Amino acid sequence: MGKKNVNTVKKPKKSFLGWIKENKTFTVALGIILLLMIIGFILTQVLPAGRYVGEVYEEFKLDFPFWKFLCSPFLLFTTSTGKSVAIIVSFLFIICGVMETMTNSNVLTYIFDRIVYKFRNHKYLLLIIVIAFFMAVGSLIGCYDEIVAFVPLLIVLVAKFGFDKHMGIAVSLFAISAGFAAGIFNSFLVAIPQKIADVPDFSGMWMRIVAFLIFLAFTCAYVLFKAKKSKNTKSIEIKDDISKKNNPTLGKASIAFVLSVLFGFVLVILTLFVPAFKPVKDSGCSLILLAGSFLLGGVLTAFIIKMPPKTFIRHFTKGIRSTLMAAILLLLASSISYTLETSCRLPTILHIFVEATMGISPLAFLFIFYALFLLFGLFISSGSSRAFLLIPILAPIAKEYGVLYPMLLAFALADGMVSLMYPTNPILIAILNMTKTSYGEYIKKNWIYFLGFFTLSILLLCFAYAVGYNAYPF
């Protein structure tokens, strides 16, 4: 008997270039971050180590070997920054796992179909409400990392109206970043810097209220312009009889999920204002509380719709796998901060900057402050960490030039740009990964907003200087 000819179709192996093309979002971000890591290491070799003792700068010898640079993504976990990164990565794993499960359970579709029906004739009003809500969260409460949990939900929601993923990013990330820039009661960008600068708590509020209204109007105008210009015609048809199509099981599951998420959000707010919850806030575990509420909602949903445990675990682990690349980028980006902080080169950079700009006009010095805050945002993503490093050194200089309050305003405005644009910002990395958006695509689609945001920041600083901005009248 002759051998049977069995035609087997072999799957072509993916080339390395093919893999890069398929994972363009990851590879572009990886390239940018690796370049910044190399620049950071070069700075440790060409600049001396330095420190500030009070307001006095002094140099000292401290080598930063190459092996330490190579191991920095792992050595990072020996610092407080490493703990924050670990919490963010765990948060992402849980959120993405739950969202994958919810997507496959049809509960999200059920929830958003109801919202779409309610706002079927007022979709632009819904966009404005969402923007105002997230701006208020950023300005009044100071929640930023928690925004990651809501971006996938908002992308699904705006898709129901025919908008693309960039609209979902705009109504969430843009809004909360604008809220941070115009923080009225934001603890991280207002209370902490003012405490360090030794000025009354939350004083000078009138200017921040003006900034809030300006950024709210600008963000709403930009989003509505993009929404009306959008040519996406893949909108899901909104039927008038949708309210009659009730599914009791999905209805109960939806209520359970929404209440669980709201419960978690309330707990996060309590950590900011209730002393009993202060240890949770100080330990940086508020993200874990929110993630736990999402996980609880996902488990309750699976139980109500009778999803088999094996199916739940399969969907959950699939969601985690989709986040692995984001976790790698987070580690690498955070290692830049580790390199420059542990090598004590950041005080040296600050000293060089200050010495090179002494003797210039107060307005020019105000712009120098703003540029300095933008520069350090590249290496330190945490606003409060930048405040503890920069404000003690810059506040006396700002007082001497008569621009202390404008300098504090510049600090908050710069943080808005850091939140919006910087590829070393862990939350931006996470959002771009979750939405399958490359950094280049993100900049290309929204450069007009970024330019407008920057221009408004400069104009606000000019206005603050022109009117002699201070704590008066409140």
Side-chain angles (χ1 to χ4, degrees):
M1 293 178 65
K3 292 182 179 180
K4 294 182 180 180
N5 292 323
V6 181
N7 294 325
T8 58
V9 179
K10 293 184 178 180
K11 293 182 179 179
K13 293 183 179 180
K14 290 182 181 178
S15 65
F16 180 67
L17 291 176
W19 184 89
I20 290 178
K21 186 176 181 180
E22 183 179 332
N23 297 276
K24 185 178 179 181
T25 301
F26 173 76
T27 51
V28 171
L30 179 63
I32 294 172
I33 291 172
L34 287 177
L35 176 61
L36 292 174
M37 288 177 65
I38 293 170
I39 292 173
F41 177 69
I42 291 173
L43 290 175
T44 67
Q45 304 304 303
V46 299
L47 295 178
R51 62 189 167 209
Y52 277 93
V53 180
E55 298 174 17
V56 179
Y57 171 78
E58 62 181 26
E59 293 183 2
F60 64 99
K61 185 173 177 58
L62 179 63
D63 294 328
F64 191 81
F66 184 66
W67 70 264
K68 208 169 185 180
F69 166 69
L70 291 178
C71 298
S72 58
F74 307 102
L75 294 174
L76 171 70
F77 290 104
T78 62
T79 67
S80 58
T81 302
K83 178 184 175 182
S84 299
V85 171
I87 290 174
I88 292 174
V89 170
S90 301
F91 177 73
L92 286 176
F93 284 164
I94 294 173
I95 294 300
C96 290
V98 170
M99 292 307 300
E100 183 68 25
T101 303
M102 295 295 294
T103 300
N104 285 277
S105 68
N106 293 322
V107 172
L108 284 184
T109 301
Y110 184 88
I111 294 172
F112 289 130
D113 278 346
R114 266 66 199 156
I115 296 175
V116 168
Y117 178 74
K118 292 292 184 183
F119 286 89
R120 62 193 182 279
N121 297 321
H122 307 285
K123 60 182 180 181
Y124 298 124
L125 174 62
L126 178 61
L127 294 178
I128 294 174
I129 292 173
V130 173
I131 291 170
F133 170 77
F134 280 104
M135 272 200 68
V137 167
S139 181
L140 303 177
I141 301 176
C143 295
Y144 177 69
D145 296 354
E146 292 80 2
I147 189 68
V148 176
F150 297 95
V151 172
L153 298 174
L154 290 170
I155 288 174
V156 175
L157 176 60
V158 298
K160 291 283 185 180
F161 288 107
F163 303 127
D164 61 16
K165 59 186 178 182
H166 295 285
M167 190 62 64
I169 295 174
V171 297
S172 53
L173 178 63
F174 289 11
I176 204 163
S177 298
F180 261 64
I184 298 174
F185 290 109
N186 187 310
S187 299
F188 306 104
L189 299 182
V190 178
I192 291 176
Q194 287 191 337
K195 184 70 69 176
I196 297 171
D198 194 26
V199 300
D201 293 343
F202 301 111
S203 55
M205 190 188 307
W206 69 270
M207 177 63 76
R208 298 194 299 275
I209 293 174
V210 170
F212 181 90
L213 295 175
I214 290 173
F215 280 118
L216 176 61
F218 171 63
T219 304
C220 287
Y222 174 81
V223 168
L224 292 179
F225 172 76
K226 296 288 283 188
K228 292 180 179 181
K229 191 179 177 182
S230 175
K231 297 180 179 179
N232 188 351
T233 58
K234 295 181 180 180
S235 175
I236 298 176
E237 183 182 357
I238 304 173
K239 298 181 179 179
D240 290 333
D241 63 346
I242 191 171
S243 60
K244 299 177 182 178
K245 295 183 177 181
N246 242 344
N247 186 319
T249 302
L250 289 178
K252 291 178 181 178
S254 301
I255 292 172
F257 180 73
V258 171
L259 289 179
S260 296
V261 172
L262 288 176
F263 175 68
F265 196 66
V266 169
L267 287 179
V268 171
I269 295 176
L270 289 176
T271 63
L272 299 174
F273 300 106
V274 179
F277 286 84
K278 193 173 184 297
V280 178
K281 175 191 172 186
D282 294 340
S283 64
C285 291
S286 57
L287 275 181
I288 299 300
L289 281 180
L290 187 58
S293 70
F294 266 77
L295 182 58
L296 175 63
V299 171
L300 289 176
T301 295
F303 176 77
I304 292 171
I305 66 174
K306 298 180 179 179
M307 178 183 288
K310 287 185 178 179
T311 304
F312 177 85
I313 293 172
R314 185 177 72 251
H315 292 318
F316 192 84
T317 53
K318 182 181 178 182
I320 291 177
R321 290 196 301 272
S322 70
T323 319
L324 291 176
M325 290 184 180
I328 294 172
L329 294 176
L330 285 173
L331 289 177
L332 295 177
S334 300
S335 71
I336 300 171
S337 172
Y338 171 84
T339 297
L340 292 176
E341 286 184 356
T342 58
S343 66
C344 296
R345 265 55 175 188
L346 287 178
T348 302
I349 296 172
L350 175 59
H351 175 71
I352 293 172
F353 215 101
V354 171
E355 287 295 312
T357 54
M358 293 299 290
I360 61 177
S361 69
L363 180 60
F365 218 119
L366 182 57
F367 292 146
I368 294 296
F369 285 142
Y370 183 62
L372 192 61
F373 295 143
L374 290 176
L375 173 64
F376 274 74
L378 195 61
F379 307 114
I380 307 175
S381 60
S382 168
S384 55
S385 297
R386 288 197 303 275
F388 282 112
L389 172 66
L390 299 173
I391 301 300
I393 311 303
L394 299 180
I397 302 173
K399 284 181 182 177
E400 184 178 339
Y401 277 84
V403 291
L404 178 58
Y405 275 90
M407 183 270 287
L408 295 172
L409 176 65
F411 180 80
L413 292 172
D415 192 86
M417 291 298 297
V418 171
S419 302
L420 279 172
M421 289 189 62
Y422 280 29
T424 53
N425 177 8
I427 301 305
L428 178 58
I429 291 172
I431 289 174
L432 294 183
N433 181 80
M434 293 170 70
T435 57
K436 308 298 181 187
T437 305
S438 70
Y439 183 73
E441 178 189 359
Y442 173 70
I443 297 297
K444 182 179 179 181
K445 287 282 187 179
N446 302 291
W447 68 269
I448 293 177
Y449 181 81
F450 303 145
L451 180 61
F453 194 100
F454 176 78
T455 303
L456 286 176
S457 298
I458 296 297
L459 291 176
L460 280 167
L461 291 178
C462 291
F463 176 70
Y465 176 76
V467 298
Y469 169 45
N470 53 40
Y472 180 83
F474 57 87

